[in-house]
Amino acid sequence: MFDLLEHDHVQELHVCHQADCQLNAFIAIHSTRLGPALGGCRFMPYRHAGAALRDAIRLARGMSYKAALAGVPQGGGKSVILRPEGHFDGARLFREFGRFIDALGGRYITAIDAGTTAREMDWIAEETTHVTSTSDAGNPSAYTALGVYKGILAAVEHRFGLADLAGLRVLVQGLGNVGMRLAQYLHQAGAKLLVCDIDTTRVHQARSCFGAQVVHPDRLFEETCDIFAPCGLGGVINHRHLPEMSCAIVAGSANNQLEDADCGRWLHDEGILYAPDYVINAGGLIYASLTHSGSGISDIEFRVHQLGETLRSIFQLSEEGGLPTSEVSDALAEEKLCEATRKAA
Ligand code: NAD
């Protein structure tokens, strides 16, 4: 376990266990150098506690980098609750989890993530104020989708020298909160949509609303497209599938898209432009952070639009230095964190 913390430079790890409400959870705080750690709460079945722990640690670092490059005053953290098997009392479990968060005194602020919605955040909010994305605060996914759309425009301009998406083939994997909204933006912009989801209701919806071509999840990499937009779960860019990839750009909302750092280098070497996940998907974090601190929508929208500019400079630096975009963005984020440490010293 300490090796994992060391590998991702995670500052704190909290274990939450309350047997009578079946609560088993981890809260990983990567850094609070730029402000209180803000990051979503995952609620999923895990094969074992080690897999949940690994998820929390790995995702926490991404949140620090995301906040650093999005320019919001937050550190990076993530919580993962192992979904109990069989019947459980959700209200009790999440209220208990809220008490654990409260005991951290504001060093960690939670939000929705895979498996949680505003309902769970409302239960947490009964016990602590260190929570965003409650039903009063609104859903950040719309801003994540807007940021991904702006990022795709920046990638298309850099890779193809085009100012719009008309006629480009975009494959969206995952039509959930973010993916469906992204599909709508892409459709309105004149892209030719291909969609893939394990949930057949969602693919049928995308087919009827946007005239999208449906791709079976087992045949994902058989389709040629200009842009692949992963909006499902992480690890989709992996060593098994890399040789099958046939696109010019990878740009989507999923967290931890790359199985490891070598995958980022492989994409670069193959001439596939990768929009680093934690940069392009920062719209939701910007929304959560700025609503929590009381900012207005125009400020939030301005910051989300700026994500396209951040990506343009990453693409440029990558081209000039002959480095993968994933390495350029990691270096920029680390530099911001070091700068904050120097200022604090
Ligand atoms: P969601 O749970 O609403 O949607 C995910 C979708 O992916 C679902 O429709 C699901 O059926 C589908 N899916 C899962 N596995 C799949 C597979 N193997 N093949 C095809 N489809 C599959 O999640 P979301 O809120 O839309 O988030 C999507 C991704 O973006 C996640 O990785 C999340 O961590 C990341 N993200 C989301 C936000 C946000 O604001 N919601 C912000 C930043 C990052």
Side-chain angles (χ1 to χ4, degrees):
M1 182 180 77
F2 292 112
D3 289 350
L4 280 179
L5 295 176
E6 180 60 31
H7 179 268
D8 281 305
H9 305 290
V10 162
Q11 181 181 302
E12 293 175 41
L13 177 70
H14 300 273
V15 180
C16 317
H17 172 69
Q18 189 66 44
D20 57 6
C21 61
Q22 302 184 69
L23 173 65
N24 291 298
F26 298 105
I27 301 173
I29 297 179
H30 172 262
S31 162
T32 50
R33 272 181 276 177
L34 293 173
L38 171 56
C41 169
R42 281 206 168 170
F43 183 54
M44 292 174 27
Y46 281 91
R47 276 174 293 115
H48 50 79
L53 174 67
R54 192 178 290 272
D55 223 12
I57 289 174
R58 196 160 168 232
L59 289 161
R61 176 156 79 160
M63 291 308 294
S64 282
Y65 285 8
K66 191 183 298 201
L69 292 190
V72 292
Q74 308 290 167
K78 207 81 178 181
S79 55
V80 167
I81 305 179
L82 288 89
R83 191 187 173 92
E85 286 172 20
H87 177 75
F88 63 92
D89 180 342
R92 248 195 97 200
L93 187 151
F94 279 93
R95 278 203 297 265
E96 188 60 42
F97 186 59
R99 282 195 277 277
F100 273 102
I101 292 175
D102 202 56
L104 299 179
R107 286 204 308 293
Y108 170 67
I109 303 166
T110 200
I112 60 170
D113 201 283
T116 52
T117 64
R119 183 180 63 153
E120 285 75 26
M121 297 302 119
D122 289 347
W123 286 327
I124 292 174
E126 289 178 28
E127 302 295 336
T128 183
T129 53
H130 307 305
V131 53
T132 66
S133 13
T134 54
S135 37
D136 289 345
N139 187 337
S141 306
Y143 292 90
T144 306
L146 176 63
V148 173
Y149 173 63
K150 293 288 166 189
I152 287 177
L153 287 173
V156 161
E157 187 190 307
H158 186 85
R159 183 69 170 72
F160 301 128
L162 294 174
D164 65 51
L165 305 181
L168 293 181
R169 283 167 65 84
V170 189
L171 170 49
V172 180
Q173 181 204 28
L175 293 164
N177 285 313
V178 180
M180 194 64 90
R181 287 179 170 93
L182 174 65
Q184 185 165 12
Y185 280 121
L186 297 169
H187 172 65
Q188 283 164 353
K192 267 185 75 64
L193 269 181
L194 294 86
V195 294
C196 170
D197 199 298
I198 48 175
D199 182 334
T200 50
T201 320
R202 292 180 181 179
V203 287
H204 290 147
Q205 188 186 338
R207 187 167 56 189
S208 70
C209 294
F210 315 128
Q213 177 189 330
V214 175
V215 177
H216 191 277
D218 295 342
R219 305 229 164 105
L220 187 65
F221 294 106
E222 288 175 21
E223 288 294 337
T224 302
C225 57
D226 298 298
I227 302 147
F228 173 48
C231 298
L233 291 180
V236 67
I237 314 291
N238 55 48
H239 291 276
R240 190 157 66 93
H241 292 305
L242 279 175
E244 300 163 23
M245 289 189 70
S246 155
C247 60
I249 293 168
V250 174
S253 75
N255 279 313
N256 288 348
Q257 289 168 32
L258 304 179
E259 183 178 44
D260 59 33
D262 289 346
C263 295
R265 183 156 282 282
W266 192 94
L267 291 175
H268 175 77
D269 292 347
E270 289 297 309
I272 298 175
L273 182 64
Y274 170 61
D277 47 12
Y278 59 79
V279 182
I280 196 169
N281 72 13
L285 171 72
I286 293 171
Y287 178 81
S289 171
L290 297 195
T291 48
H292 197 62
S293 63
S295 297
I297 287 297
S298 58
D299 192 15
I300 293 169
E301 284 179 350
F302 174 76
R303 302 275 199 113
V304 175
H305 282 249
Q306 285 301 106
L307 292 174
E309 294 310 312
T310 307
L311 282 164
R312 279 186 184 90
S313 44
I314 290 170
F315 298 152
Q316 195 59 37
L317 287 167
S318 156
E319 194 169 290
E320 287 165 10
L323 290 167
T325 53
S326 48
E327 292 178 18
V328 170
S329 57
D330 282 1
L332 287 175
E334 280 294 345
E335 175 55 29
K336 296 240 181 223
L337 293 175
C338 290
E339 203 177 293
T341 308
R342 280 197 298 272
K343 277 189 188 152

